[in-house]
Amino acid sequence: MSRQNTDSKTPMQIKDLRIHSIAMADPPLRSSYGLHQPYALRNVVEIESIDGITGIAETYGGDNPRAALENLRGQIVGADAMRLLGDLQPLVHGEGGGSERSQVNLVPGENPLDTSARTYAAVETACLDLVGKSVGKPVCDLIGGRVRDKVSFSAYLFYKHGGGGGEGADARPDEYGECLTPESMVRQARQMADQYGFQSIKLKAGVLDPGQEVETLRQLRQEFGGEFPLRIDPNSAWKLETSLEVGRALKEELSNGGYLEDPCAGLDDLATLRQQLLSEGIDTPNASNVAVTSFAHLPENLHKDAVQVILCDHHYWSGMRQVQHLGKICQVFGMGLSMHSNSHLGVSLMAMSHVAAATPHLTYDCDTHYPWQSADDEIVEGGRVPIVGGCIEVTDKPGLGVTLDHDQLARGRERYDKCPYRKRDDTAQMRKHVDPAWERILPRW
Ligand code: GKR
Ligand code: MG
Protein backbone atom coordinates (compact mmCIF):
# COMPACT_ATOMS: atom_id res chain seq x y z
CA MET A 1 0.00 0.00 0.00
CA SER A 2 1.54 3.34 -1.02
CA ARG A 3 1.84 5.93 1.73
CA GLN A 4 1.67 9.02 -0.44
CA ASN A 5 1.61 12.35 1.24
CA THR A 6 -0.89 14.18 -0.94
CA ASP A 7 -2.79 16.13 1.71
CA SER A 8 -0.14 18.41 3.08
CA LYS A 9 2.13 19.50 0.25
CA THR A 10 5.85 19.16 0.92
CA PRO A 11 8.46 20.91 -1.25
CA MET A 12 9.63 17.58 -2.63
CA GLN A 13 6.22 16.34 -3.59
CA ILE A 14 6.33 15.15 -7.18
CA LYS A 15 3.92 16.88 -9.52
CA ASP A 16 5.06 15.43 -12.83
CA LEU A 17 6.83 12.42 -14.32
CA ARG A 18 8.23 12.68 -17.85
CA ILE A 19 9.81 9.77 -19.67
CA HIS A 20 11.79 10.46 -22.83
CA SER A 21 12.69 7.57 -25.12
CA ILE A 22 15.76 8.57 -27.06
CA ALA A 23 18.19 7.07 -29.57
CA MET A 24 21.88 7.85 -29.98
CA ALA A 25 24.29 6.83 -32.72
CA ASP A 26 26.30 3.75 -31.82
CA PRO A 27 29.17 2.28 -33.85
CA PRO A 28 29.04 -1.34 -35.11
CA LEU A 29 30.63 -2.89 -32.04
CA ARG A 30 30.88 -6.66 -31.75
CA SER A 31 30.46 -9.01 -28.81
CA SER A 32 29.19 -12.53 -28.28
CA TYR A 33 25.68 -11.00 -28.36
CA GLY A 34 26.28 -10.07 -32.03
CA LEU A 35 26.51 -6.56 -33.46
CA HIS A 36 25.37 -3.25 -32.01
CA GLN A 37 22.54 -1.50 -33.83
CA PRO A 38 23.29 1.86 -35.53
CA TYR A 39 21.38 3.44 -32.65
CA ALA A 40 21.53 2.58 -28.97
CA LEU A 41 18.35 3.31 -27.02
CA ARG A 42 17.90 4.97 -23.63
CA ASN A 43 15.01 6.19 -21.51
CA VAL A 44 15.50 9.44 -19.65
CA VAL A 45 13.36 10.12 -16.59
CA GLU A 46 12.44 13.52 -15.23
CA ILE A 47 10.48 13.97 -12.02
CA GLU A 48 9.48 17.49 -11.12
CA SER A 49 8.59 18.69 -7.63
CA ILE A 50 5.86 21.19 -6.81
CA ASP A 51 8.48 23.86 -6.29
CA GLY A 52 9.79 23.32 -9.80
CA ILE A 53 12.96 21.32 -9.14
CA THR A 54 13.61 18.43 -11.51
CA GLY A 55 15.43 15.19 -10.75
CA ILE A 56 16.76 13.13 -13.66
CA ALA A 57 17.88 9.59 -14.44
CA GLU A 58 18.94 7.58 -17.49
CA THR A 59 18.15 3.89 -17.90
CA TYR A 60 17.77 1.07 -20.42
CA GLY A 61 16.07 2.08 -23.63
CA GLY A 62 13.17 1.03 -25.77
CA ASP A 63 9.58 0.08 -25.18
CA ASN A 64 9.77 -2.47 -22.35
CA PRO A 65 11.75 -0.37 -19.85
CA ARG A 66 9.54 2.60 -20.72
CA ALA A 67 6.34 0.65 -20.10
CA ALA A 68 7.66 -0.51 -16.72
CA LEU A 69 8.27 3.10 -15.71
CA GLU A 70 4.85 4.14 -16.98
CA ASN A 71 3.30 1.45 -14.79
CA LEU A 72 4.58 3.29 -11.71
CA ARG A 73 3.20 6.68 -12.72
CA GLY A 74 0.29 6.43 -10.28
CA GLN A 75 2.67 5.78 -7.39
CA ILE A 76 5.21 8.41 -8.39
CA VAL A 77 3.06 11.45 -9.15
CA GLY A 78 1.82 12.94 -5.88
CA ALA A 79 4.42 11.13 -3.77
CA ASP A 80 7.12 12.78 -1.69
CA ALA A 81 10.53 12.12 -3.30
CA MET A 82 12.01 11.48 0.15
CA ARG A 83 9.43 8.80 1.01
CA LEU A 84 8.80 7.25 -2.37
CA LEU A 85 11.89 5.06 -2.22
CA GLY A 86 10.67 3.43 0.95
CA ASP A 87 7.22 2.93 -0.52
CA LEU A 88 8.69 1.26 -3.59
CA GLN A 89 10.92 -1.13 -1.59
CA PRO A 90 8.94 -4.23 -2.68
CA LEU A 91 10.39 -3.67 -6.17
CA VAL A 92 13.98 -3.79 -5.04
CA HIS A 93 14.84 -7.43 -5.36
CA GLY A 94 13.09 -8.30 -8.59
CA GLU A 95 12.02 -11.85 -9.24
CA GLY A 96 13.94 -15.09 -9.06
CA GLY A 97 17.46 -15.75 -7.99
CA GLY A 98 18.46 -18.75 -10.02
CA SER A 99 20.11 -19.05 -13.41
CA GLU A 100 16.92 -17.75 -15.06
CA ARG A 101 17.67 -14.38 -13.47
CA SER A 102 21.20 -14.35 -14.89
CA GLN A 103 22.00 -12.25 -17.95
CA VAL A 104 23.84 -14.97 -19.88
CA ASN A 105 21.28 -15.33 -22.64
CA LEU A 106 19.47 -12.01 -22.87
CA VAL A 107 20.88 -8.63 -23.82
CA PRO A 108 21.05 -6.31 -20.82
CA GLY A 109 17.79 -4.52 -20.11
CA GLU A 110 15.57 -7.20 -21.61
CA ASN A 111 15.27 -9.77 -18.82
CA PRO A 112 11.71 -9.50 -17.43
CA LEU A 113 12.92 -10.89 -14.10
CA ASP A 114 14.94 -7.80 -13.30
CA THR A 115 12.43 -5.29 -14.63
CA SER A 116 11.37 -4.10 -11.20
CA ALA A 117 14.99 -3.83 -9.97
CA ARG A 118 15.86 -1.73 -13.03
CA THR A 119 12.78 0.41 -12.74
CA TYR A 120 13.34 1.04 -9.05
CA ALA A 121 16.92 2.08 -9.83
CA ALA A 122 15.79 4.70 -12.34
CA VAL A 123 13.25 6.14 -9.91
CA GLU A 124 15.80 6.13 -7.09
CA THR A 125 18.37 8.00 -9.17
CA ALA A 126 15.83 10.65 -10.20
CA CYS A 127 14.62 11.04 -6.59
CA LEU A 128 18.16 11.36 -5.23
CA ASP A 129 18.94 13.95 -7.90
CA LEU A 130 15.77 15.84 -6.99
CA VAL A 131 16.54 15.74 -3.29
CA GLY A 132 20.17 16.76 -3.90
CA LYS A 133 19.13 19.66 -6.11
CA SER A 134 16.52 20.70 -3.53
CA VAL A 135 18.97 20.80 -0.61
CA GLY A 136 22.04 21.87 -2.60
CA LYS A 137 24.06 18.70 -1.98
CA PRO A 138 25.67 16.23 -4.40
CA VAL A 139 24.15 12.75 -4.55
CA CYS A 140 27.35 11.02 -3.36
CA ASP A 141 27.21 13.05 -0.16
CA LEU A 142 23.53 12.21 0.35
CA ILE A 143 24.08 8.47 0.12
CA GLY A 144 26.68 8.20 2.82
CA GLY A 145 29.39 10.57 1.75
CA ARG A 146 32.13 10.44 -0.79
CA VAL A 147 35.28 8.47 -0.17
CA ARG A 148 36.89 9.72 -3.39
CA ASP A 149 36.50 12.86 -5.50
CA LYS A 150 37.70 11.23 -8.68
CA VAL A 151 36.36 8.00 -10.08
CA SER A 152 38.68 6.10 -12.41
CA PHE A 153 37.43 4.31 -15.51
CA SER A 154 38.97 1.77 -17.81
CA ALA A 155 39.40 1.96 -21.61
CA TYR A 156 36.69 -0.34 -22.98
CA LEU A 157 37.90 -1.81 -26.28
CA PHE A 158 35.66 -3.48 -28.83
CA TYR A 159 36.31 -5.33 -32.05
CA LYS A 160 34.29 -3.40 -34.57
CA HIS A 161 33.37 -3.10 -38.20
CA GLY A 162 33.92 0.09 -40.16
CA GLY A 163 31.41 2.87 -39.43
CA GLY A 164 30.64 5.38 -36.72
CA GLY A 165 26.97 4.58 -36.11
CA GLY A 166 23.79 6.38 -37.14
CA GLU A 167 22.03 5.80 -40.45
CA GLY A 168 21.47 7.56 -43.76
CA ALA A 169 22.02 11.32 -43.55
CA ASP A 170 22.66 10.87 -39.82
CA ALA A 171 25.63 8.49 -40.36
CA ARG A 172 28.52 9.55 -38.12
CA PRO A 173 32.25 9.77 -38.77
CA ASP A 174 34.13 6.61 -37.83
CA GLU A 175 36.46 7.83 -35.11
CA TYR A 176 38.22 4.52 -34.49
CA GLY A 177 37.97 2.72 -37.84
CA GLU A 178 37.50 -0.98 -38.45
CA CYS A 179 39.14 -3.12 -35.81
CA LEU A 180 39.16 -6.87 -36.33
CA THR A 181 42.81 -7.76 -35.72
CA PRO A 182 45.20 -7.60 -32.75
CA GLU A 183 47.18 -4.82 -34.44
CA SER A 184 44.15 -2.61 -35.05
CA MET A 185 43.05 -3.22 -31.44
CA VAL A 186 46.36 -1.90 -30.19
CA ARG A 187 45.77 1.21 -32.31
CA GLN A 188 42.25 1.59 -30.88
CA ALA A 189 43.62 1.21 -27.35
CA ARG A 190 46.36 3.76 -27.87
CA GLN A 191 43.94 6.27 -29.39
CA MET A 192 41.43 5.87 -26.56
CA ALA A 193 44.01 5.88 -23.78
CA ASP A 194 45.74 8.96 -25.19
CA GLN A 195 42.48 10.82 -25.60
CA TYR A 196 41.00 10.04 -22.18
CA GLY A 197 44.04 9.15 -20.07
CA PHE A 198 42.76 5.70 -19.09
CA GLN A 199 45.10 3.67 -16.89
CA SER A 200 43.61 0.22 -17.46
CA ILE A 201 42.02 -1.72 -20.31
CA LYS A 202 39.05 -4.04 -20.74
CA LEU A 203 38.86 -5.99 -23.99
CA LYS A 204 35.42 -7.12 -25.13
CA ALA A 205 36.18 -10.58 -26.53
CA GLY A 206 34.10 -13.55 -27.69
CA VAL A 207 34.31 -12.28 -31.27
CA LEU A 208 37.44 -13.69 -32.92
CA ASP A 209 38.99 -17.09 -32.46
CA PRO A 210 40.27 -17.23 -28.84
CA GLY A 211 43.86 -17.56 -30.10
CA GLN A 212 43.51 -14.19 -31.83
CA GLU A 213 42.08 -12.65 -28.70
CA VAL A 214 44.94 -14.02 -26.61
CA GLU A 215 47.33 -12.52 -29.14
CA THR A 216 45.47 -9.20 -28.82
CA LEU A 217 46.03 -9.16 -25.06
CA ARG A 218 49.70 -10.02 -25.55
CA GLN A 219 50.15 -7.13 -27.96
CA LEU A 220 48.31 -4.80 -25.61
CA ARG A 221 50.66 -5.79 -22.83
CA GLN A 222 53.67 -5.12 -25.05
CA GLU A 223 52.27 -1.72 -25.93
CA PHE A 224 51.25 -0.61 -22.43
CA GLY A 225 53.65 -2.55 -20.21
CA GLY A 226 53.14 -5.03 -17.39
CA GLU A 227 51.92 -2.44 -14.89
CA PHE A 228 48.83 -1.59 -16.95
CA PRO A 229 45.88 -3.74 -15.75
CA LEU A 230 44.21 -5.76 -18.54
CA ARG A 231 40.89 -7.63 -18.48
CA ILE A 232 39.11 -9.77 -21.03
CA ASP A 233 35.35 -10.36 -21.32
CA PRO A 234 34.00 -12.81 -23.94
CA ASN A 235 30.46 -12.76 -22.48
CA SER A 236 30.36 -16.52 -21.85
CA ALA A 237 31.48 -17.45 -25.38
CA TRP A 238 34.00 -20.07 -24.24
CA LYS A 239 33.70 -23.63 -23.01
CA LEU A 240 35.30 -24.46 -19.71
CA GLU A 241 38.27 -26.07 -21.52
CA THR A 242 38.80 -22.98 -23.65
CA SER A 243 38.55 -20.76 -20.58
CA LEU A 244 41.24 -22.87 -18.94
CA GLU A 245 43.50 -22.59 -21.98
CA VAL A 246 43.02 -18.84 -22.12
CA GLY A 247 43.57 -18.54 -18.35
CA ARG A 248 46.85 -20.39 -18.72
CA ALA A 249 47.93 -18.51 -21.83
CA LEU A 250 47.21 -15.13 -20.21
CA LYS A 251 48.66 -15.93 -16.81
CA GLU A 252 51.09 -13.00 -17.03
CA GLU A 253 48.89 -10.61 -18.96
CA LEU A 254 46.05 -10.80 -16.41
CA SER A 255 48.29 -11.00 -13.35
CA ASN A 256 48.42 -7.34 -12.39
CA GLY A 257 44.93 -6.19 -11.43
CA GLY A 258 43.33 -8.12 -14.28
CA TYR A 259 40.52 -10.62 -14.45
CA LEU A 260 38.73 -13.11 -16.66
CA GLU A 261 35.21 -11.67 -17.01
CA ASP A 262 32.49 -14.21 -17.79
CA PRO A 263 34.78 -16.54 -19.74
CA CYS A 264 32.23 -19.37 -19.52
CA ALA A 265 28.61 -19.54 -18.38
CA GLY A 266 27.25 -20.65 -15.03
CA LEU A 267 28.56 -20.77 -11.49
CA ASP A 268 29.60 -24.43 -11.69
CA ASP A 269 31.96 -24.00 -14.64
CA LEU A 270 33.30 -20.74 -13.24
CA ALA A 271 34.02 -22.50 -9.94
CA THR A 272 35.80 -25.37 -11.68
CA LEU A 273 37.83 -22.90 -13.73
CA ARG A 274 38.90 -21.09 -10.58
CA GLN A 275 39.88 -24.26 -8.73
CA GLN A 276 41.83 -25.64 -11.67
CA LEU A 277 43.74 -22.43 -12.34
CA LEU A 278 44.52 -22.01 -8.65
CA SER A 279 45.81 -25.59 -8.47
CA GLU A 280 48.21 -24.64 -11.29
CA GLY A 281 49.38 -21.57 -9.39
CA ILE A 282 47.37 -19.12 -11.50
CA ASP A 283 45.49 -16.66 -9.31
CA THR A 284 43.54 -14.79 -12.02
CA PRO A 285 40.11 -14.04 -10.54
CA ASN A 286 36.82 -14.57 -12.35
CA ALA A 287 34.65 -11.51 -12.67
CA SER A 288 31.02 -11.43 -13.76
CA ASN A 289 28.15 -9.18 -14.68
CA VAL A 290 25.92 -12.00 -15.88
CA ALA A 291 26.28 -14.97 -13.50
CA VAL A 292 25.78 -12.93 -10.33
CA THR A 293 23.24 -10.20 -10.96
CA SER A 294 21.23 -10.12 -7.74
CA PHE A 295 21.66 -10.57 -3.99
CA ALA A 296 19.91 -13.93 -4.32
CA HIS A 297 22.88 -15.22 -6.35
CA LEU A 298 25.42 -14.39 -3.67
CA PRO A 299 25.06 -17.36 -1.27
CA GLU A 300 25.56 -19.97 -4.00
CA ASN A 301 28.40 -17.96 -5.47
CA LEU A 302 30.14 -17.73 -2.13
CA HIS A 303 29.63 -21.39 -1.43
CA LYS A 304 31.14 -22.36 -4.79
CA ASP A 305 33.76 -19.59 -4.97
CA ALA A 306 32.81 -19.15 -8.62
CA VAL A 307 33.09 -15.38 -9.12
CA GLN A 308 35.66 -13.42 -7.14
CA VAL A 309 34.92 -9.98 -8.59
CA ILE A 310 31.32 -8.84 -8.88
CA LEU A 311 30.52 -6.18 -11.44
CA CYS A 312 28.00 -3.88 -9.89
CA ASP A 313 25.73 -1.64 -11.90
CA HIS A 314 23.19 0.55 -10.15
CA HIS A 315 20.99 0.39 -13.29
CA TYR A 316 20.04 -3.22 -12.56
CA TRP A 317 21.32 -3.87 -9.02
CA SER A 318 18.29 -1.92 -7.76
CA GLY A 319 20.00 1.42 -7.51
CA MET A 320 22.83 3.17 -5.77
CA ARG A 321 22.09 2.21 -2.18
CA GLN A 322 21.90 -1.47 -3.04
CA VAL A 323 25.25 -1.23 -4.84
CA GLN A 324 26.69 0.17 -1.63
CA HIS A 325 25.26 -2.81 0.28
CA LEU A 326 26.75 -5.11 -2.33
CA GLY A 327 30.12 -3.42 -1.82
CA LYS A 328 29.95 -4.09 1.90
CA ILE A 329 29.10 -7.74 1.35
CA CYS A 330 31.99 -8.08 -1.09
CA GLN A 331 34.33 -6.52 1.43
CA VAL A 332 33.20 -8.78 4.26
CA PHE A 333 33.47 -11.95 2.18
CA GLY A 334 36.74 -11.06 0.48
CA MET A 335 35.36 -10.45 -3.00
CA GLY A 336 36.36 -7.62 -5.32
CA LEU A 337 33.93 -5.08 -6.74
CA SER A 338 34.10 -3.57 -10.21
CA MET A 339 31.47 -1.72 -12.25
CA HIS A 340 29.68 -2.78 -15.43
CA SER A 341 28.37 -0.51 -18.14
CA ASN A 342 26.19 -0.46 -21.22
CA SER A 343 25.94 2.16 -23.97
CA HIS A 344 25.03 5.35 -22.13
CA LEU A 345 25.17 9.13 -22.05
CA GLY A 346 26.22 11.70 -19.47
CA VAL A 347 23.37 11.29 -16.98
CA SER A 348 24.23 7.64 -16.46
CA LEU A 349 27.93 8.43 -16.41
CA MET A 350 27.39 10.89 -13.56
CA ALA A 351 25.12 8.50 -11.65
CA MET A 352 27.78 5.77 -12.01
CA SER A 353 30.39 8.23 -10.79
CA HIS A 354 28.37 9.30 -7.75
CA VAL A 355 27.71 5.74 -6.62
CA ALA A 356 31.39 4.87 -7.22
CA ALA A 357 32.47 7.96 -5.26
CA ALA A 358 30.41 6.82 -2.26
CA THR A 359 31.28 3.10 -2.34
CA PRO A 360 34.42 2.51 -0.28
CA HIS A 361 35.06 -1.05 -1.38
CA LEU A 362 35.35 -0.45 -5.12
CA THR A 363 38.48 -2.34 -6.01
CA TYR A 364 38.87 -1.82 -9.79
CA ASP A 365 38.50 0.92 -12.37
CA CYS A 366 34.91 1.10 -13.62
CA ASP A 367 33.74 0.21 -17.12
CA THR A 368 32.22 2.84 -19.37
CA HIS A 369 31.01 2.82 -22.98
CA TYR A 370 31.11 6.63 -22.99
CA PRO A 371 33.97 7.03 -25.51
CA TRP A 372 31.79 5.23 -28.07
CA GLN A 373 29.07 7.88 -27.96
CA SER A 374 29.41 11.27 -29.62
CA ALA A 375 28.94 14.90 -28.62
CA ASP A 376 26.08 15.20 -31.14
CA ASP A 377 23.94 12.94 -28.96
CA GLU A 378 24.86 14.18 -25.49
CA ILE A 379 21.82 15.34 -23.55
CA VAL A 380 23.43 17.15 -20.63
CA GLU A 381 23.88 20.90 -20.63
CA GLY A 382 27.39 21.90 -21.57
CA GLY A 383 27.94 18.80 -23.71
CA ARG A 384 30.20 15.81 -23.09
CA VAL A 385 31.26 15.15 -19.51
CA PRO A 386 35.06 15.36 -19.46
CA ILE A 387 37.10 12.24 -18.65
CA VAL A 388 40.55 13.46 -17.67
CA GLY A 389 43.39 11.16 -16.63
CA GLY A 390 40.87 8.33 -16.98
CA CYS A 391 38.73 9.90 -14.26
CA ILE A 392 35.44 11.68 -13.74
CA GLU A 393 35.61 14.38 -11.14
CA VAL A 394 32.68 14.43 -8.74
CA THR A 395 32.24 18.05 -7.77
CA ASP A 396 30.09 19.80 -5.17
CA LYS A 397 27.39 20.60 -7.71
CA PRO A 398 23.99 19.54 -6.35
CA GLY A 399 22.35 16.27 -7.29
CA LEU A 400 24.10 14.37 -10.06
CA GLY A 401 25.86 17.59 -11.03
CA VAL A 402 24.28 17.71 -14.48
CA THR A 403 21.04 19.04 -15.96
CA LEU A 404 19.29 18.23 -19.21
CA ASP A 405 19.77 20.16 -22.43
CA HIS A 406 16.18 20.05 -23.65
CA ASP A 407 17.04 20.82 -27.27
CA GLN A 408 19.43 17.88 -27.36
CA LEU A 409 16.87 15.71 -25.60
CA ALA A 410 14.31 16.62 -28.26
CA ARG A 411 16.81 15.60 -30.95
CA GLY A 412 17.27 12.27 -29.17
CA ARG A 413 13.49 11.76 -29.14
CA GLU A 414 13.29 12.64 -32.82
CA ARG A 415 16.01 10.09 -33.61
CA TYR A 416 14.06 7.52 -31.61
CA ASP A 417 10.82 8.28 -33.45
CA LYS A 418 12.53 7.99 -36.83
CA CYS A 419 14.58 4.86 -36.20
CA PRO A 420 13.01 1.40 -36.44
CA TYR A 421 14.55 0.05 -33.21
CA ARG A 422 12.44 -0.48 -30.10
CA LYS A 423 14.78 -2.83 -28.22
CA ARG A 424 18.37 -3.96 -28.47
CA ASP A 425 18.73 -6.88 -30.89
CA ASP A 426 22.37 -7.65 -31.69
CA THR A 427 21.44 -10.94 -33.38
CA ALA A 428 19.26 -9.22 -35.98
CA GLN A 429 22.07 -6.78 -36.75
CA MET A 430 24.57 -9.60 -37.17
CA ARG A 431 22.24 -11.30 -39.62
CA LYS A 432 21.60 -8.11 -41.52
CA HIS A 433 25.20 -6.93 -41.87
CA VAL A 434 27.58 -9.82 -41.31
CA ASP A 435 26.11 -13.31 -41.69
CA PRO A 436 22.43 -14.02 -42.52
CA ALA A 437 22.69 -17.41 -40.79
CA TRP A 438 24.30 -16.13 -37.59
CA GLU A 439 23.11 -17.65 -34.29
CA ARG A 440 24.26 -16.79 -30.81
CA ILE A 441 25.84 -20.11 -29.93
CA LEU A 442 26.99 -20.39 -26.31
CA PRO A 443 29.62 -21.64 -25.86
CA ARG A 444 30.94 -20.95 -29.35
CA TRP A 445 34.54 -22.01 -28.75
O1 GKR B 1 27.98 -3.30 -25.24
O2 GKR B 1 28.07 -5.15 -26.36
C1 GKR B 1 28.16 -4.50 -25.30
C2 GKR B 1 28.52 -5.25 -24.06
O3 GKR B 1 28.67 -6.60 -24.35
C3 GKR B 1 27.49 -5.03 -22.99
O4 GKR B 1 26.22 -5.26 -23.46
C4 GKR B 1 27.73 -5.88 -21.79
O5 GKR B 1 26.62 -5.83 -20.94
O6 GKR B 1 29.49 -4.34 -21.24
C5 GKR B 1 28.81 -5.44 -20.91
C6 GKR B 1 29.62 -6.52 -20.26
O7 GKR B 1 30.55 -6.19 -19.57
O8 GKR B 1 29.28 -7.68 -20.37
MG1 MG C 1 30.85 -8.25 -18.91
Side-chain angles (χ1 to χ4, degrees):
M1 207 23 205
S2 168
R3 289 175 285 130
Q4 294 172 7
N5 183 0
T6 43
D7 300 328
S8 57
K9 290 189 173 170
T10 67
M12 287 184 229
Q13 189 176 340
I14 298 166
K15 71 171 181 193
D16 197 13
L17 164 70
R18 296 182 287 274
I19 305 164
H20 310 275
S21 297
I22 61 165
M24 61 204 181
D26 199 25
L29 307 181
R30 289 281 300 273
S31 76
S32 85
Y33 292 110
L35 176 68
H36 280 210
Q37 291 164 168
Y39 292 98
L41 311 177
R42 300 297 273 169
N43 281 300
V44 179
V45 178
E46 286 187 285
I47 54 170
E48 189 178 343
S49 68
I50 53 167
D51 55 359
I53 296 180
T54 301
I56 59 177
E58 182 188 332
T59 185
Y60 291 94
D63 286 349
N64 293 334
R66 184 192 176 106
L69 281 157
E70 278 295 352
N71 282 341
L72 291 184
R73 181 176 291 278
Q75 277 171 279
I76 294 172
V77 177
D80 182 317
M82 303 269 283
R83 288 179 58 165
L84 179 61
L85 299 178
D87 291 344
L88 295 181
Q89 276 295 312
L91 299 180
V92 160
H93 294 296
E95 291 169 56
S99 56
E100 78 288 356
R101 173 75 186 266
S102 83
Q103 301 291 359
V104 172
N105 295 306
L106 292 164
V107 289
E110 288 296 332
N111 187 343
L113 298 182
D114 68 9
T115 301
S116 64
R118 285 187 273 112
T119 312
Y120 179 89
V123 177
E124 185 206 57
T125 302
C127 283
L128 288 170
D129 185 45
L130 173 59
V131 174
K133 283 176 174 148
S134 301
V135 301
K137 295 287 174 200
V139 165
C140 62
D141 292 343
L142 288 183
I143 58 175
R146 71 184 75 205
V147 291
R148 52 184 76 83
D149 292 318
K150 287 185 178 176
V151 174
S152 52
F153 288 85
S154 177
Y156 197 164
L157 312 182
F158 280 82
Y159 294 107
K160 71 180 278 294
H161 296 273
E167 280 181 319
D170 190 36
R172 306 302 173 80
D174 186 0
E175 207 183 330
Y176 289 94
E178 182 185 275
C179 178
L180 292 167
T181 61
E183 292 72 21
S184 52
M185 189 59 86
V186 173
R187 281 198 297 279
Q188 182 189 115
R190 183 42 74 198
Q191 187 180 338
M192 199 181 277
D194 285 353
Q195 189 174 343
Y196 295 95
F198 294 121
Q199 298 298 317
S200 56
I201 282 177
K202 160 165 166 167
L203 174 67
K204 175 58 58 178
V207 175
L208 306 181
D209 181 87
Q212 286 281 92
E213 298 187 339
V214 165
E215 174 60 18
T216 303
L217 257 268
R218 287 197 173 134
Q219 292 196 17
L220 286 169
R221 188 167 202 248
Q222 268 168 20
E223 174 73 15
F224 289 89
E227 296 307 304
F228 210 88
L230 302 175
R231 318 160 184 172
I232 186 164
D233 175 13
N235 286 113
S236 318
W238 301 334
K239 294 177 190 148
L240 173 59
E241 295 70 34
T242 310
S243 307
L244 274 165
E245 281 163 25
V246 173
R248 289 176 188 126
L250 294 178
K251 175 180 172 175
E252 294 302 328
E253 286 74 7
L254 300 178
S255 63
N256 175 35
Y259 46 68
L260 276 167
E261 182 174 327
D262 291 305
C264 46
L267 293 179
D268 289 331
D269 277 4
L270 288 166
T272 308
L273 172 66
R274 172 71 174 161
Q275 280 157 24
Q276 185 59 37
L277 288 180
L278 272 182
S279 74
E280 296 174 24
I282 302 171
D283 194 8
T284 305
N286 293 327
S288 181
N289 62 276
V290 298
V292 180
T293 63
S294 71
F295 288 92
H297 288 139
L298 289 174
E300 184 185 349
N301 181 57
L302 276 165
H303 177 67
K304 293 182 169 161
D305 189 23
V307 175
Q308 292 73 44
V309 181
I310 310 287
L311 276 90
C312 68
D313 182 336
H314 75 277
H315 298 92
Y316 66 84
W317 271 93
S318 305
M320 299 186 182
R321 303 307 307 266
Q322 299 298 324
V323 163
Q324 292 178 301
H325 295 316
L326 175 64
K328 191 70 199 168
I329 293 173
C330 288
Q331 184 178 20
V332 169
F333 290 98
M335 291 183 285
L337 186 74
S338 190
M339 188 184 283
H340 164 261
S341 92
N342 260 299
S343 308
H344 64 88
L345 290 169
V347 179
S348 273
L349 181 63
M350 288 314 298
M352 291 155 72
S353 300
H354 275 268
V355 67
T359 302
H361 184 72
L362 183 65
T363 54
Y364 293 87
D365 292 347
C366 303
D367 291 355
T368 178
H369 285 59
Y370 202 56
W372 295 106
Q373 266 52 67
S374 82
D376 289 352
D377 301 300
E378 185 50 87
I379 52 168
V380 300
E381 267 182 328
R384 298 270 289 169
V385 179
I387 300 180
V388 180
C391 295
I392 294 286
E393 193 175 348
V394 181
T395 67
D396 278 330
K397 286 186 193 160
L400 295 174
V402 283
T403 49
L404 291 174
D405 176 331
H406 283 93
D407 291 337
Q408 282 292 89
L409 191 65
R411 290 187 191 104
R413 278 198 309 261
E414 211 176 291
R415 255 180 250 113
Y416 185 82
D417 291 342
K418 278 190 189 155
C419 82
Y421 312 107
R422 290 297 174 265
K423 66 174 187 174
R424 179 175 165 183
D425 188 347
D426 294 26
T427 297
Q429 285 300 302
M430 258 320 260
R431 289 183 184 158
K432 190 167 167 196
H433 294 287
V434 183
D435 173 2
W438 194 82
E439 300 281 350
R440 187 171 189 231
I441 297 163
L442 287 185
R444 186 175 297 278
W445 289 280

